[in-house]
Structure formats: C-alpha cells, structure tokens
Amino acid sequence: MSLSKEDIINAIAEMSVMDVVELVSAMEEKFGVSAAAAVVAGPAGEAAVAEEQTEFDVILTAAGDKKVNVIKAVRGATGLGLKEAKELVDGAPSTVKEAASKEEAEALKKELEEAGATVELK
C-alpha cells in the first residue's frame, strides 16, 4: 500500500518541529541531497531576472560641434528653459533624463546624437 502526497503532507503537519528537522536530515542522507541547496537556487533564479535593466539614465557626455542643436534637443526632451538647457549642455557630462524606459531612453539618445551630441545610457 503506497501513501499519497496528501497522506504524507498530513503526517508531516502533525509532527513536531524537531521531528520535521530529523525527517529532513534523514531525507538528505538517504537521497544525497541538501535542502539548503534548493532554497538557495530559488533566489538565485530571481536575481538573474532582476539583473535585466528596465530603467535607464540618459547621460550627455559631450555637446559636440553643434551645441545650439543639442540645446534645442535637450529643451524639447526635458521641457527645460533655454538657460537651464544651456547649463545642462555646458556642464556635460550630465544627466538629461533619469529612470527612462528602454524605448524612451533609446529614442532620446538617437535624437541627441542626431543633433551632434555624444550620449550614453546607464
């Protein structure tokens, strides 16, 4: 007569904590596995997913030769006034936009590069 999974779970639920610890140790020895390894594997898989970057900072590294065009592009992208946009461009390297989505960051990078700037995403 074999036990079902439910029978086993019900039996474990009725055990004391010490008995469950002993059961886990006995299972580790019997099957040559470690319960700690299974616990570590779960968060490691989640960490790999979390490493994929979803937000980017658009950094203006250099204004280039067409500074006026870059200032116009910065103004259009950020809504800054002329003075603030000029200060941002003059202060390169500086952050044009923080926490932008990948698509938004790439579009802004393309726009600024077309205006003559050097841009990187972080």
Side-chain angles (χ1 to χ4, degrees):
M1 174 175 161
S2 68
L3 296 172
S4 70
K5 291 177 191 176
E6 285 185 38
D7 292 337
I8 295 170
I9 291 172
N10 289 333
I12 292 172
E14 294 174 7
M15 298 172 97
S16 70
V17 174
M18 290 304 295
D19 290 338
V20 172
V21 170
E22 290 174 9
L23 175 64
V24 169
S25 296
M27 289 173 62
E28 287 175 340
E29 284 181 33
K30 171 83 174 172
F31 300 111
V33 296
S34 172
V39 172
V40 173
E46 293 173 14
V49 172
E51 288 178 16
E52 184 176 332
Q53 190 172 354
T54 58
E55 293 184 341
F56 296 85
D57 293 342
V58 181
I59 312 291
L60 177 71
T61 55
D65 295 335
K66 301 176 182 178
K67 190 171 166 181
V68 173
N69 292 340
V70 175
I71 292 171
K72 288 180 183 178
V74 168
R75 285 188 68 200
T78 62
L80 292 173
L82 179 60
K83 180 181 177 188
E84 292 83 7
K86 183 179 183 307
E87 289 173 356
L88 190 138
V89 171
D90 287 340
S94 54
T95 304
V96 177
K97 187 150 191 150
E98 293 180 346
S101 68
K102 184 176 183 178
E103 295 80 22
E104 183 181 11
E106 288 176 351
L108 180 55
K109 179 181 179 187
K110 181 180 177 187
E111 181 181 339
L112 290 170
E113 286 177 341
E114 286 174 356
T118 304
V119 182
E120 67 180 44
L121 301 178
K122 288 192 177 181

